[in-house]
Amino acid sequence: MMSAATSRDLVVIGASAGGVEALRSLVSQLPADLPAAVLVVLHLPAGSTSVLATILDDAGRLPAEPAEHGAPIHRGRLYVAQPDHHLLLDGDRQVMSSGPTENGHRPAVNALFRSAALARGPLVAGIVLSGVLDDGTAGLAAIKARGGLAIVQDPDDAAYRGMPDNALAAVAVDHVLPAAAIGEQLAGLLGVPVDPVPPAEPDPLLRYEHALALSGVAAALTPSPASAPQDCSARTATPNSR
């Protein structure tokens, strides 16, 4: 279900090798009142312990926390995928799935991006950062096809340019910027009005691939009453769950 929002209120970011520094640079420039929820996938090995939420919480003004199955997303907060679980969306709620790996990864960037494209259509901004190979390219194409905004880190600014280069070769992206400049300009880019009318029916292949990613969901979610991220721009003093 599409919300009545007329500007983009969901940001999805994908990164791999060299992605921690790119994410730190981007997040350090985001305003505390960013009018969007931010979901992040960084390639992580199965069985590892991620401290990325702590790193990003310390790096900027947005509260950052690990993703949690079934929890709602809020504007002005940042959610980080956990190892060995795809991060997906069900309306305004986070979904953790142990569905098939993609490009050898779980979490995978494409899985998050496809899910966001289906859930939020033109109200999504997708960002591809440093990494090798091409995870994120197909997902960014899906976001663009559904009317969303496509942003790629300048390959010359990336520690590993494979993911940015592949995205640029396959997708008509809207902006190519250094990571820090993405953070500086993101609020303004999100504020550009968009057509709230849902785009055309999504490609059946997009639905099929999303269904595969969902196949490992641990438990069904109760449908949420609204699909828009809730406003939670004020930072709280409550420590994040690590």
Short mmCIF file of all heavy atoms in Angstrom, two decimals, residues 150-210:
data_model
loop_
_atom_site.label_atom_id
_atom_site.label_comp_id
_atom_site.label_asym_id
_atom_site.label_seq_id
_atom_site.Cartn_x
_atom_site.Cartn_y
_atom_site.Cartn_z
N ALA A 150 18.07 6.79 -8.02
CA ALA A 150 19.25 5.94 -8.07
C ALA A 150 20.51 6.78 -7.90
O ALA A 150 20.75 7.70 -8.69
CB ALA A 150 19.31 5.17 -9.39
N ILE A 151 21.30 6.45 -6.87
CA ILE A 151 22.51 7.21 -6.54
C ILE A 151 23.67 6.22 -6.43
O ILE A 151 23.52 5.15 -5.83
CB ILE A 151 22.36 7.98 -5.22
CG1 ILE A 151 21.14 8.90 -5.28
CG2 ILE A 151 23.62 8.77 -4.89
CD1 ILE A 151 20.80 9.55 -3.94
N VAL A 152 24.83 6.57 -6.98
CA VAL A 152 26.00 5.70 -6.95
C VAL A 152 27.21 6.50 -6.48
O VAL A 152 27.41 7.66 -6.91
CB VAL A 152 26.27 5.09 -8.35
CG1 VAL A 152 27.59 4.32 -8.37
CG2 VAL A 152 25.13 4.17 -8.76
N GLN A 153 28.00 5.90 -5.61
CA GLN A 153 29.26 6.53 -5.20
C GLN A 153 30.18 6.67 -6.40
O GLN A 153 30.31 5.74 -7.22
CB GLN A 153 29.95 5.69 -4.13
CG GLN A 153 31.24 6.30 -3.60
CD GLN A 153 31.92 5.42 -2.55
OE1 GLN A 153 31.50 4.28 -2.32
NE2 GLN A 153 32.97 5.93 -1.94
N ASP A 154 30.81 7.81 -6.54
CA ASP A 154 31.79 8.03 -7.61
C ASP A 154 32.85 6.93 -7.52
O ASP A 154 33.49 6.78 -6.47
CB ASP A 154 32.43 9.40 -7.43
CG ASP A 154 33.36 9.78 -8.56
OD1 ASP A 154 33.87 8.88 -9.27
OD2 ASP A 154 33.61 10.98 -8.74
N PRO A 155 33.03 6.14 -8.58
CA PRO A 155 34.03 5.05 -8.51
C PRO A 155 35.42 5.52 -8.12
O PRO A 155 36.17 4.78 -7.46
CB PRO A 155 34.02 4.47 -9.92
CG PRO A 155 32.66 4.80 -10.45
CD PRO A 155 32.31 6.13 -9.86
N ASP A 156 35.78 6.76 -8.49
CA ASP A 156 37.10 7.27 -8.12
C ASP A 156 37.20 7.57 -6.63
O ASP A 156 38.32 7.72 -6.10
CB ASP A 156 37.40 8.55 -8.92
CG ASP A 156 37.61 8.28 -10.40
OD1 ASP A 156 37.97 7.14 -10.74
OD2 ASP A 156 37.41 9.21 -11.19
N ASP A 157 36.07 7.64 -5.94
CA ASP A 157 36.04 7.88 -4.50
C ASP A 157 35.94 6.58 -3.72
O ASP A 157 36.10 6.58 -2.50
CB ASP A 157 34.83 8.79 -4.18
CG ASP A 157 34.69 9.11 -2.70
OD1 ASP A 157 35.61 9.73 -2.13
OD2 ASP A 157 33.65 8.73 -2.11
N ALA A 158 35.69 5.47 -4.41
CA ALA A 158 35.46 4.19 -3.75
C ALA A 158 36.76 3.41 -3.60
O ALA A 158 37.58 3.37 -4.51
CB ALA A 158 34.45 3.37 -4.54
N ALA A 159 36.91 2.74 -2.47
CA ALA A 159 38.08 1.88 -2.27
C ALA A 159 38.08 0.72 -3.25
O ALA A 159 39.13 0.27 -3.72
CB ALA A 159 38.12 1.38 -0.83
N TYR A 160 36.89 0.21 -3.56
CA TYR A 160 36.71 -0.86 -4.56
C TYR A 160 35.59 -0.41 -5.49
O TYR A 160 34.46 -0.21 -5.05
CB TYR A 160 36.36 -2.18 -3.87
CG TYR A 160 37.48 -2.73 -3.03
CD1 TYR A 160 37.63 -2.32 -1.70
CD2 TYR A 160 38.40 -3.63 -3.54
CE1 TYR A 160 38.67 -2.80 -0.92
CE2 TYR A 160 39.44 -4.12 -2.77
CZ TYR A 160 39.57 -3.70 -1.46
OH TYR A 160 40.61 -4.18 -0.70
N ARG A 161 35.89 -0.29 -6.75
CA ARG A 161 34.97 0.35 -7.68
C ARG A 161 34.07 -0.62 -8.43
O ARG A 161 33.27 -0.20 -9.28
CB ARG A 161 35.74 1.22 -8.66
CG ARG A 161 36.79 0.53 -9.49
CD ARG A 161 37.57 1.55 -10.32
NE ARG A 161 36.72 2.25 -11.24
CZ ARG A 161 36.91 3.53 -11.60
NH1 ARG A 161 37.92 4.22 -11.10
NH2 ARG A 161 36.08 4.10 -12.46
N GLY A 162 34.16 -1.92 -8.16
CA GLY A 162 33.38 -2.89 -8.90
C GLY A 162 31.88 -2.65 -8.84
O GLY A 162 31.20 -2.61 -9.87
N MET A 163 31.33 -2.52 -7.64
CA MET A 163 29.89 -2.30 -7.51
C MET A 163 29.45 -0.97 -8.12
O MET A 163 28.47 -0.94 -8.87
CB MET A 163 29.45 -2.43 -6.04
CG MET A 163 29.33 -3.88 -5.59
SD MET A 163 28.99 -4.15 -3.81
CE MET A 163 27.63 -3.04 -3.50
N PRO A 164 30.14 0.14 -7.85
CA PRO A 164 29.75 1.38 -8.53
C PRO A 164 29.86 1.30 -10.05
O PRO A 164 28.95 1.74 -10.77
CB PRO A 164 30.73 2.41 -7.95
CG PRO A 164 31.08 1.89 -6.61
CD PRO A 164 31.14 0.40 -6.79
N ASP A 165 30.95 0.74 -10.56
CA ASP A 165 31.12 0.65 -12.02
C ASP A 165 30.02 -0.18 -12.66
O ASP A 165 29.48 0.19 -13.71
CB ASP A 165 32.48 0.04 -12.36
CG ASP A 165 33.61 1.07 -12.36
OD1 ASP A 165 33.33 2.28 -12.49
OD2 ASP A 165 34.78 0.65 -12.24
N ASN A 166 29.69 -1.32 -12.06
CA ASN A 166 28.65 -2.17 -12.63
C ASN A 166 27.28 -1.50 -12.59
O ASN A 166 26.50 -1.62 -13.54
CB ASN A 166 28.62 -3.51 -11.90
CG ASN A 166 29.67 -4.47 -12.42
OD1 ASN A 166 29.59 -4.94 -13.55
ND2 ASN A 166 30.66 -4.77 -11.60
N ALA A 167 26.99 -0.80 -11.51
CA ALA A 167 25.71 -0.08 -11.43
C ALA A 167 25.63 1.00 -12.50
O ALA A 167 24.60 1.15 -13.16
CB ALA A 167 25.54 0.52 -10.04
N LEU A 168 26.72 1.73 -12.69
CA LEU A 168 26.72 2.79 -13.68
C LEU A 168 26.59 2.25 -15.10
O LEU A 168 25.99 2.90 -15.98
CB LEU A 168 28.01 3.62 -13.56
CG LEU A 168 28.12 4.50 -12.32
CD1 LEU A 168 29.51 5.10 -12.21
CD2 LEU A 168 27.07 5.60 -12.36
N ALA A 169 27.13 1.07 -15.34
CA ALA A 169 27.06 0.49 -16.68
C ALA A 169 25.67 -0.01 -17.03
O ALA A 169 25.32 -0.10 -18.22
CB ALA A 169 28.07 -0.66 -16.79
N ALA A 170 24.86 -0.33 -16.02
CA ALA A 170 23.57 -0.98 -16.28
C ALA A 170 22.35 -0.12 -15.97
O ALA A 170 21.25 -0.42 -16.43
CB ALA A 170 23.48 -2.28 -15.48
N VAL A 171 22.53 0.94 -15.18
CA VAL A 171 21.39 1.73 -14.71
C VAL A 171 21.59 3.20 -15.07
O VAL A 171 22.70 3.73 -14.92
CB VAL A 171 21.22 1.59 -13.18
CG1 VAL A 171 19.99 2.36 -12.70
CG2 VAL A 171 21.14 0.13 -12.77
N ALA A 172 20.53 3.84 -15.52
CA ALA A 172 20.57 5.29 -15.78
C ALA A 172 20.42 6.01 -14.45
O ALA A 172 19.32 6.44 -14.06
CB ALA A 172 19.47 5.68 -16.75
N VAL A 173 21.52 6.15 -13.72
CA VAL A 173 21.46 6.68 -12.36
C VAL A 173 21.20 8.19 -12.39
O VAL A 173 21.47 8.87 -13.37
CB VAL A 173 22.75 6.36 -11.57
CG1 VAL A 173 23.03 4.87 -11.58
CG2 VAL A 173 23.93 7.13 -12.12
N ASP A 174 20.70 8.69 -11.27
CA ASP A 174 20.36 10.11 -11.17
C ASP A 174 21.53 10.95 -10.68
O ASP A 174 21.67 12.10 -11.08
CB ASP A 174 19.17 10.28 -10.22
CG ASP A 174 17.92 9.59 -10.73
OD1 ASP A 174 17.33 10.09 -11.70
OD2 ASP A 174 17.57 8.53 -10.17
N HIS A 175 22.37 10.36 -9.80
CA HIS A 175 23.47 11.14 -9.24
C HIS A 175 24.68 10.24 -9.01
O HIS A 175 24.53 9.11 -8.55
CB HIS A 175 23.07 11.78 -7.91
CG HIS A 175 21.87 12.68 -8.02
ND1 HIS A 175 21.96 13.98 -8.47
CD2 HIS A 175 20.56 12.45 -7.76
CE1 HIS A 175 20.75 14.53 -8.47
NE2 HIS A 175 19.89 13.62 -8.04
N VAL A 176 25.87 10.75 -9.33
CA VAL A 176 27.14 10.08 -9.05
C VAL A 176 27.96 11.05 -8.21
O VAL A 176 28.36 12.12 -8.69
CB VAL A 176 27.89 9.72 -10.34
CG1 VAL A 176 29.18 8.98 -10.02
CG2 VAL A 176 27.01 8.89 -11.26
N LEU A 177 28.21 10.69 -6.95
CA LEU A 177 28.84 11.61 -6.01
C LEU A 177 29.79 10.87 -5.08
O LEU A 177 29.62 9.67 -4.83
CB LEU A 177 27.76 12.28 -5.14
CG LEU A 177 26.72 13.16 -5.83
CD1 LEU A 177 25.54 13.40 -4.89
CD2 LEU A 177 27.34 14.47 -6.26
N PRO A 178 30.81 11.56 -4.53
CA PRO A 178 31.60 10.96 -3.45
C PRO A 178 30.69 10.65 -2.27
O PRO A 178 29.63 11.27 -2.09
CB PRO A 178 32.61 12.06 -3.10
CG PRO A 178 32.67 12.93 -4.32
CD PRO A 178 31.29 12.90 -4.91
N ALA A 179 31.10 9.71 -1.44
CA ALA A 179 30.26 9.27 -0.34
C ALA A 179 29.86 10.42 0.58
O ALA A 179 28.69 10.54 0.98
CB ALA A 179 30.97 8.17 0.46
N ALA A 180 30.82 11.27 0.95
CA ALA A 180 30.50 12.38 1.85
C ALA A 180 29.50 13.35 1.21
O ALA A 180 28.60 13.86 1.89
CB ALA A 180 31.77 13.12 2.24
N ALA A 181 29.63 13.57 -0.09
CA ALA A 181 28.71 14.48 -0.78
C ALA A 181 27.30 13.89 -0.85
O ALA A 181 26.32 14.63 -0.82
CB ALA A 181 29.23 14.78 -2.19
N ILE A 182 27.20 12.57 -0.94
CA ILE A 182 25.87 11.95 -0.88
C ILE A 182 25.21 12.30 0.44
O ILE A 182 24.04 12.69 0.49
CB ILE A 182 25.98 10.42 -1.05
CG1 ILE A 182 26.50 10.06 -2.45
CG2 ILE A 182 24.60 9.78 -0.84
CD1 ILE A 182 26.77 8.58 -2.63
N GLY A 183 25.96 12.15 1.53
CA GLY A 183 25.42 12.50 2.84
C GLY A 183 25.03 13.97 2.94
O GLY A 183 23.97 14.30 3.50
N GLU A 184 25.85 14.84 2.39
CA GLU A 184 25.58 16.27 2.45
C GLU A 184 24.33 16.66 1.68
O GLU A 184 23.57 17.53 2.10
CB GLU A 184 26.77 17.05 1.87
CG GLU A 184 28.03 17.00 2.72
CD GLU A 184 29.22 17.60 2.00
OE1 GLU A 184 29.08 17.96 0.81
OE2 GLU A 184 30.29 17.70 2.62
N GLN A 185 24.11 16.01 0.54
CA GLN A 185 23.04 16.41 -0.36
C GLN A 185 21.77 15.58 -0.25
O GLN A 185 20.74 15.91 -0.84
CB GLN A 185 23.54 16.36 -1.80
CG GLN A 185 24.71 17.28 -2.08
CD GLN A 185 25.13 17.27 -3.54
OE1 GLN A 185 24.31 17.13 -4.44
NE2 GLN A 185 26.43 17.42 -3.79
N LEU A 186 21.81 14.51 0.53
CA LEU A 186 20.70 13.56 0.51
C LEU A 186 19.38 14.17 0.94
O LEU A 186 18.34 13.93 0.31
CB LEU A 186 21.03 12.35 1.39
CG LEU A 186 20.04 11.19 1.31
CD1 LEU A 186 19.91 10.68 -0.12
CD2 LEU A 186 20.46 10.06 2.23
N ALA A 187 19.37 14.96 2.00
CA ALA A 187 18.11 15.54 2.47
C ALA A 187 17.46 16.38 1.37
O ALA A 187 16.24 16.31 1.15
CB ALA A 187 18.34 16.39 3.72
N GLY A 188 18.27 17.15 0.65
CA GLY A 188 17.74 17.95 -0.44
C GLY A 188 17.22 17.11 -1.58
O GLY A 188 16.18 17.41 -2.18
N LEU A 189 17.92 16.02 -1.89
CA LEU A 189 17.48 15.14 -2.97
C LEU A 189 16.17 14.45 -2.60
O LEU A 189 15.31 14.24 -3.46
CB LEU A 189 18.56 14.10 -3.27
CG LEU A 189 19.90 14.64 -3.77
CD1 LEU A 189 20.91 13.51 -3.93
CD2 LEU A 189 19.72 15.38 -5.09
N LEU A 190 16.01 14.10 -1.33
CA LEU A 190 14.78 13.45 -0.91
C LEU A 190 13.60 14.42 -0.93
O LEU A 190 12.45 14.01 -1.10
CB LEU A 190 14.94 12.91 0.51
CG LEU A 190 15.95 11.77 0.71
CD1 LEU A 190 16.07 11.43 2.19
CD2 LEU A 190 15.57 10.54 -0.09
N GLY A 191 13.88 15.71 -0.74
CA GLY A 191 12.81 16.69 -0.64
C GLY A 191 12.17 17.07 -1.95
O GLY A 191 11.17 17.80 -1.96
N VAL A 192 12.69 16.59 -3.07
CA VAL A 192 12.09 16.90 -4.37
C VAL A 192 10.76 16.17 -4.49
O VAL A 192 10.70 14.95 -4.30
CB VAL A 192 13.04 16.47 -5.51
CG1 VAL A 192 12.38 16.70 -6.87
CG2 VAL A 192 14.35 17.24 -5.42
N PRO A 193 9.67 16.87 -4.78
CA PRO A 193 8.35 16.20 -4.86
C PRO A 193 8.33 15.12 -5.93
O PRO A 193 8.97 15.23 -6.98
CB PRO A 193 7.40 17.35 -5.22
CG PRO A 193 8.10 18.58 -4.77
CD PRO A 193 9.56 18.32 -4.97
N VAL A 194 7.61 14.04 -5.64
CA VAL A 194 7.45 12.96 -6.60
C VAL A 194 5.97 12.68 -6.78
O VAL A 194 5.14 13.04 -5.93
CB VAL A 194 8.17 11.68 -6.15
CG1 VAL A 194 9.66 11.90 -6.06
CG2 VAL A 194 7.63 11.17 -4.81
N ASP A 195 5.64 12.02 -7.87
CA ASP A 195 4.25 11.65 -8.14
C ASP A 195 3.86 10.53 -7.19
O ASP A 195 4.45 9.44 -7.22
CB ASP A 195 4.14 11.17 -9.59
CG ASP A 195 2.70 10.92 -10.01
OD1 ASP A 195 1.82 10.91 -9.13
OD2 ASP A 195 2.46 10.73 -11.22
N PRO A 196 2.87 10.72 -6.31
CA PRO A 196 2.50 9.69 -5.34
C PRO A 196 1.71 8.54 -5.95
O PRO A 196 1.40 7.57 -5.28
CB PRO A 196 1.66 10.45 -4.32
CG PRO A 196 1.04 11.55 -5.12
CD PRO A 196 2.07 11.95 -6.15
N VAL A 197 1.35 8.64 -7.24
CA VAL A 197 0.58 7.57 -7.89
C VAL A 197 1.47 6.34 -8.03
O VAL A 197 2.62 6.44 -8.50
CB VAL A 197 0.09 8.04 -9.27
CG1 VAL A 197 -0.63 6.89 -9.98
CG2 VAL A 197 -0.83 9.25 -9.12
N PRO A 198 0.99 5.17 -7.64
CA PRO A 198 1.81 3.97 -7.77
C PRO A 198 2.22 3.72 -9.20
O PRO A 198 1.44 3.98 -10.13
CB PRO A 198 0.88 2.85 -7.25
CG PRO A 198 -0.14 3.54 -6.43
CD PRO A 198 -0.32 4.89 -7.04
N PRO A 199 3.44 3.23 -9.43
CA PRO A 199 3.86 2.92 -10.80
C PRO A 199 3.11 1.71 -11.33
O PRO A 199 2.30 1.10 -10.64
CB PRO A 199 5.35 2.62 -10.63
CG PRO A 199 5.49 2.17 -9.22
CD PRO A 199 4.46 2.94 -8.44
N ALA A 200 3.39 1.39 -12.59
CA ALA A 200 2.74 0.25 -13.21
C ALA A 200 3.03 -1.04 -12.45
O ALA A 200 3.96 -1.12 -11.65
CB ALA A 200 3.21 0.13 -14.66
N GLU A 201 2.23 -2.06 -12.70
CA GLU A 201 2.41 -3.36 -12.07
C GLU A 201 3.85 -3.83 -12.25
O GLU A 201 4.40 -3.77 -13.35
CB GLU A 201 1.46 -4.38 -12.71
CG GLU A 201 1.42 -5.73 -12.03
CD GLU A 201 0.80 -5.68 -10.64
OE1 GLU A 201 0.12 -4.69 -10.32
OE2 GLU A 201 1.01 -6.65 -9.88
N PRO A 202 4.50 -4.27 -11.17
CA PRO A 202 5.92 -4.66 -11.28
C PRO A 202 6.11 -5.89 -12.16
O PRO A 202 5.21 -6.71 -12.33
CB PRO A 202 6.31 -4.96 -9.83
CG PRO A 202 5.03 -5.22 -9.12
CD PRO A 202 4.00 -4.38 -9.80
N ASP A 203 7.32 -6.00 -12.69
CA ASP A 203 7.70 -7.13 -13.52
C ASP A 203 7.51 -8.43 -12.73
O ASP A 203 7.89 -8.52 -11.57
CB ASP A 203 9.16 -6.96 -13.92
CG ASP A 203 9.61 -7.98 -14.93
OD1 ASP A 203 9.60 -9.18 -14.60
OD2 ASP A 203 9.98 -7.58 -16.04
N PRO A 204 6.93 -9.47 -13.35
CA PRO A 204 6.76 -10.75 -12.64
C PRO A 204 8.07 -11.32 -12.12
O PRO A 204 8.09 -11.97 -11.06
CB PRO A 204 6.13 -11.66 -13.70
CG PRO A 204 5.43 -10.73 -14.63
CD PRO A 204 6.28 -9.49 -14.67
N LEU A 205 9.17 -11.11 -12.85
CA LEU A 205 10.47 -11.61 -12.39
C LEU A 205 10.86 -10.94 -11.08
O LEU A 205 11.43 -11.59 -10.19
CB LEU A 205 11.54 -11.38 -13.45
CG LEU A 205 12.96 -11.83 -13.09
CD1 LEU A 205 12.99 -13.34 -12.80
CD2 LEU A 205 13.94 -11.48 -14.20
N LEU A 206 10.56 -9.65 -10.95
CA LEU A 206 10.87 -8.93 -9.71
C LEU A 206 10.10 -9.55 -8.55
O LEU A 206 10.67 -9.79 -7.47
CB LEU A 206 10.52 -7.45 -9.86
CG LEU A 206 10.69 -6.55 -8.63
CD1 LEU A 206 12.12 -6.55 -8.14
CD2 LEU A 206 10.21 -5.13 -8.94
N ARG A 207 8.84 -9.84 -8.75
CA ARG A 207 8.04 -10.48 -7.69
C ARG A 207 8.58 -11.86 -7.35
O ARG A 207 8.63 -12.25 -6.18
CB ARG A 207 6.58 -10.57 -8.12
CG ARG A 207 5.84 -9.23 -8.12
CD ARG A 207 4.34 -9.47 -8.18
NE ARG A 207 3.58 -8.26 -8.17
CZ ARG A 207 3.29 -7.55 -7.07
NH1 ARG A 207 3.74 -7.94 -5.89
NH2 ARG A 207 2.57 -6.45 -7.15
N TYR A 208 8.97 -12.63 -8.39
CA TYR A 208 9.47 -13.97 -8.16
C TYR A 208 10.77 -13.94 -7.35
O TYR A 208 10.93 -14.70 -6.38
CB TYR A 208 9.71 -14.66 -9.50
CG TYR A 208 10.39 -16.01 -9.39
CD1 TYR A 208 9.71 -17.13 -8.90
CD2 TYR A 208 11.72 -16.16 -9.76
CE1 TYR A 208 10.34 -18.36 -8.78
CE2 TYR A 208 12.36 -17.39 -9.66
CZ TYR A 208 11.66 -18.48 -9.17
OH TYR A 208 12.29 -19.69 -9.06
N GLU A 209 11.69 -13.06 -7.73
CA GLU A 209 12.96 -12.98 -7.01
C GLU A 209 12.75 -12.53 -5.57
O GLU A 209 13.42 -13.00 -4.65
CB GLU A 209 13.90 -12.04 -7.75
CG GLU A 209 14.38 -12.59 -9.08
CD GLU A 209 15.18 -11.59 -9.88
OE1 GLU A 209 14.93 -10.37 -9.75
OE2 GLU A 209 16.06 -12.03 -10.66
N HIS A 210 11.80 -11.62 -5.37
CA HIS A 210 11.50 -11.18 -4.01
C HIS A 210 10.90 -12.33 -3.20
O HIS A 210 11.22 -12.51 -2.02
CB HIS A 210 10.54 -10.00 -4.06
CG HIS A 210 10.13 -9.48 -2.71
ND1 HIS A 210 11.04 -9.08 -1.76
CD2 HIS A 210 8.90 -9.31 -2.15
CE1 HIS A 210 10.41 -8.66 -0.68
NE2 HIS A 210 9.11 -8.81 -0.89
#
